[in-house]
Amino acid sequence: KLLPSIVPAAWKATAAVIFLHGLGDTGHRWIEAFAGIRSSHIKYICLQAPEDEPGIKQAAENIKALIDQEVKNGIPSNRIIVGGFSQGGALSLYTQKLAGVTALSCWLPLRASFPQGPIRGANRDISILQCHGDCDPLVPLMFGSLTVEKLKTFGDPANVTFKTYEGMMHSSCQQEMMDVKQFIDKLLLPID
């Protein structure tokens, strides 16, 4: 089991962001990106996937265990955002009982097994930020657009934001990371 990369909160952590990388990438690369946009009260955790990627169900269970650990550490689940890039972003859409989800350059896999109709309970009002480059050759923009339309059917469509970035391929850019920071800071305000 590989250890995650962590940017600790500058003070006591009152919120957490758990981020999942895509295939062929590492958590170490993403931790550098989050270190550049960090907020002092938030702990950033970038998971490092093993070489033999587990299936979605196993990976979702691993993420749930990490969320449970953060809750035991004193961070309520409604102060945790799970996000990811590409396959990691797709997986983040399957997490539950969170403050929000941020999904970068991803799609909704296993659409047929995803819940149908409006979501009830804790996730009904979850905020989702999905970002996508308009020149992505690996996950075409159309897949991102279809995913966002599906996500809007589960709860309040006003809680689902879709941002596109002109000329961006299957990668990230400074403007996208600033939009992610704004999304995180809006949902995870400092607690006195």
Side-chain angles (χ1 to χ4, degrees):
K1 198 168 186 178
L2 300 171
L3 295 176
S5 298
I6 297 174
V7 174
W11 302 309
K12 181 181 188 248
T14 60
V17 171
I18 300 170
F19 194 82
L20 316 163
H21 65 78
L23 282 175
D25 203 352
T26 68
H28 304 293
R29 186 179 85 77
W30 284 99
I31 208 68
E32 292 174 14
F34 281 102
I37 64 165
R38 71 187 290 201
S39 294
S40 60
H41 64 287
I42 300 174
K43 176 182 182 180
Y44 298 86
I45 306 164
C46 293
L47 296 182
Q48 180 64 37
E51 292 294 320
D52 57 338
E53 289 277 340
I56 280 208
K57 185 175 181 181
Q58 178 60 46
E61 289 172 8
N62 293 344
I63 294 163
K64 183 182 180 320
L66 182 57
I67 292 168
D68 290 345
Q69 183 59 49
E70 290 305 310
V71 170
K72 285 179 187 170
N73 291 340
I75 298 175
S77 62
N78 67 351
R79 303 242 337 129
I80 298 173
I81 291 176
V82 174
F85 178 82
S86 193
Q87 183 174 341
L91 182 56
S92 73
L93 296 172
Y94 283 84
T95 57
Q96 298 181 7
K97 298 180 184 169
L98 306 170
V101 172
T102 179
L104 313 179
S105 295
C106 77
W107 71 106
L108 186 60
L110 306 174
R111 268 195 322 259
S113 66
F114 206 79
Q116 301 298 311
I119 293 176
R120 299 187 196 330
N123 279 357
R124 174 152 176 62
D125 295 321
I126 196 167
S127 294
I128 298 172
L129 171 64
Q130 185 173 346
C131 302
H132 215 106
D134 68 354
C135 294
D136 189 334
L138 296 177
V139 181
L141 179 60
M142 177 185 71
F143 290 175
S145 298
L146 290 171
T147 295
V148 121
E149 290 310 311
K150 179 80 169 171
L151 292 172
K152 286 180 178 180
T153 68
F154 298 136
D156 184 351
N159 290 342
V160 179
T161 303
F162 187 50
K163 293 190 174 263
T164 59
Y165 303 89
E166 186 176 345
M168 191 172 81
M169 308 256 306
H170 194 67
S171 61
S172 186
C173 67
Q174 186 62 35
Q175 183 58 55
E176 180 183 46
M177 291 308 293
M178 293 311 297
D179 290 338
V180 167
K181 177 178 177 41
Q182 183 179 22
F183 176 79
I184 291 169
D185 288 349
K186 180 181 171 187
L187 293 177
L188 302 178
L189 297 170
I191 296 175
D192 294 333

